[in-house]
Amino acid sequence: LSGGRLAVGARFGGAPGSDAGGVHVFDRLAGAWTEVAALAAPDGEAGDAFGWSLALAGDVLVAGAPFDRDAGVDTGAAYVFTRGNGGASAPKLTASDKAAQDSFGFRAALQGATLALGAPSWKPNGLDEGSVYVHALLEAPSVYCTAKATTKGASSASANAGSFVASALSVATASPSIAWTSATPVKY
């Protein structure tokens, strides 16, 4: 919910039995909620669970698909939509170091121009330590730049850092040694 706009994930929606997922966007018009968009992942496939996580701030909507398999089993992805172009395809964000079963996009948080996406099953040492990827929307040129935070040295297996992304928004500073990647946002 952001102002008079509401996004609802239908992560097990899509064609019957497909679990490709979907997102429904509603605006509050004349005191009633009216659906203004029904979104699907541009390259969605059965089992992706698009809409599993949602982040909405102003005209920007991010939808996670943590079981996307384009780069391996359950590597995950997230899609960035901005209001205004009638549902054109959205850029697909993936982890720079994606690996099978990371579940990138399992959680999402958006505050202003800062987006955090969780990959709770990221396994650098065979354990589910998790990772949070922080993306910044730059004013010019309009691209998303990415940095990554992890639970380096986590004392326990299954720390699942990517399950909790809201705290990453308050720590959204990046080391100069972090490599940044980008994708251009598209309007919905």
Side-chain angles (χ1 to χ4, degrees):
L1 179 64
S2 178
R5 178 160 299 125
L6 171 69
V8 178
R11 61 188 182 202
F12 299 124
S18 79
D19 293 344
V23 175
H24 301 273
V25 181
F26 298 85
D27 280 349
R28 187 142 177 98
L29 304 169
W33 289 102
T34 304
E35 186 169 8
V36 295
L39 305 172
D43 61 347
E45 297 176 346
D48 283 354
F50 172 77
W52 182 279
S53 63
L54 297 173
L56 178 63
D59 289 336
V60 178
L61 169 65
V62 178
F67 306 120
D68 179 276
R69 293 175 291 299
D70 289 352
V73 175
D74 298 344
T75 50
Y79 300 82
V80 180
F81 297 87
T82 54
R83 184 175 180 213
N85 79 346
S89 64
K92 179 178 187 174
L93 300 176
T94 59
S96 55
D97 58 350
K98 55 190 159 279
Q101 299 177 342
D102 282 352
S103 299
F104 176 83
F106 191 85
R107 294 285 185 253
L110 180 62
Q111 182 177 348
T114 304
L115 166 65
L117 292 163
S121 299
W122 180 72
K123 301 170 189 59
N125 301 309
L127 305 173
D128 288 350
E129 288 187 19
S131 184
V132 175
Y133 297 78
V134 179
H135 305 266
L137 174 60
L138 305 178
E139 294 300 321
S142 292
V143 295
Y144 281 93
C145 293
T146 307
K148 182 174 130 186
T150 65
T151 57
K152 275 189 181 175
S155 59
S156 67
S158 299
N160 296 112
S163 293
F164 309 99
V165 299
S167 61
L169 293 176
S170 61
V171 199
T173 57
S175 159
S177 64
I178 293 176
W180 293 82
T181 58
S182 65
T184 304
V186 173
K187 298 180 177 182
Y188 68 89

